[in-house]
Amino acid sequence: MIHTTHTILITGGSSGIGAATARMLAADGMTVYAASRRGTIEGSDFDGRIIPVKLDVNDEALTIKTVHDIVEKHGTLDAVVVNAGNGIAGSVEDSDDEEVRYQFETCCFGALKTIRACMEVFRKQGYGRVITITSVAAIVPLPYQGIYSGVKAAMLSITENLRMETSHLGDIQFCSVLPGDVRTEFTCARKIVKKAATSPYADEFQRAMKVIEKDETTGMSANIIARAVLRQLRRRRMSVRVIPRIDYALVGLLMRLIPECIKLPIIKALYR
Ligand SMILES: NC(=O)c1ccc[n+]([C@@H]2O[C@H](COP(=O)([O-])OP(=O)(O)OC[C@H]3O[C@@H](n4cnc5c(N)ncnc54)[C@H](OP(=O)(O)O)[C@@H]3O)[C@@H](O)[C@H]2O)c1
């Protein structure tokens, strides 16, 4: 039996990729719970098909309650897009434990809380779909984004493990979408590590951040990522990894083919 998605939860639904995805899925007829700390989403609510909810994904009890409330109201929860996230920039050496924890808190621990809360429902239903929004940074090591790359690589790997581990539980599928540069609030919201200004890496860091910020602010529309999510949800079998837009997909392919000793100096040179 093919299960279609009617009711979906998107974390980080107040802006950027999450909000664009909420709008696109609602336009396709789905009921979308758009969860974020703000608990709002700009633009139309598509005749009540987008329901903004206030949720910090680091609050486990509230995450479980949010999922239970959706199931109580609709009878099912068909899918979740694990998207809530933020970024931190700085050299790996300059990043202290508190800053590393900040990066892992929402993007990894918050994501896992969301997945665990939904898995309980998906196991009982015998079906459910999970799309994690990771990043091309998971497979391309960008200078001064090491901790961010690390958390996204962790979530990519965990998503693939979950796909394998849950495959005997029914029609439960996991997929990761790896966006490249997207124009969103992400760039403004990014934290810089405390030691960055006085660091021996300061000059190189400033140069790299100029390139990174320019790439993001002139990057693709969040609708491109939203379309990739919608396409996966419509498929009978979701792909394991999806890199939207051909240029970024080609970068992904090159990363697999070129040996590390060649690719790392090339990447470094591109950010100087
Ligand atoms: N922009 C890019 O170039 C890019 C590239 C690759 C991957 N990504 C990934 O895409 C995802 C979405 O980012 P975006 O670019 O759309 O940035 P964004 O516009 O800043 O959106 C981030 C979303 O996450 C929410 N959020 C943050 N912390 C949260 C928490 N603790 N609990 C619940 N919601 C939380 C924010 O809402 P509130 O502040 O209201 O909570 C917001 O809705 C992130 O995981 C990011 O790492 C982005």
Side-chain angles (χ1 to χ4, degrees), residues 8-22 25 33-38 41 55 57 80-87 103 106-108 110-112 114-115 130-135 148 152 155 159 175-179 182 184 186 222 225-226 229:
I8 183 160
L9 169 66
I10 300 179
T11 65
S14 59
S15 65
I17 293 169
T21 305
L25 301 190
Y33 281 80
S36 65
R37 291 166 303 180
R38 270 170 278 184
I41 176 169
L55 171 69
V57 293
V80 60
V81 180
V82 184
N83 165 74
N86 49 30
Q103 183 63 92
T106 299
C107 287
C108 180
L112 290 175
T114 306
I115 291 169
V130 181
I131 297 183
T132 58
I133 304 298
T134 57
S135 174
Y148 179 70
K152 291 298 180 179
M155 281 314 299
T159 305
C175 159
S176 193
V177 172
L178 289 69
V182 188
T184 67
F186 182 85
I225 311 304
V229 170

Side-chain angles (χ1 to χ4, degrees), residues 1-10 29-33 51 64-80 117-129 171:
M1 179 182 172
I2 304 172
H3 295 101
T4 46
T5 301
H6 299 292
T7 308
I8 183 160
L9 169 66
I10 300 179
M30 298 178 203
T31 299
V32 182
Y33 281 80
I51 300 144
I64 293 169
K65 184 181 179 316
T66 302
V67 169
H68 281 190
D69 287 351
I70 296 172
V71 176
E72 202 165 274
K73 180 140 191 234
H74 299 273
T76 61
L77 173 65
D78 303 308
V80 60
C118 294
M119 268 307 293
E120 210 180 315
V121 175
F122 294 165
R123 263 190 297 100
K124 282 183 193 146
Q125 291 177 168
Y127 72 91
R129 290 176 173 221
D171 184 17

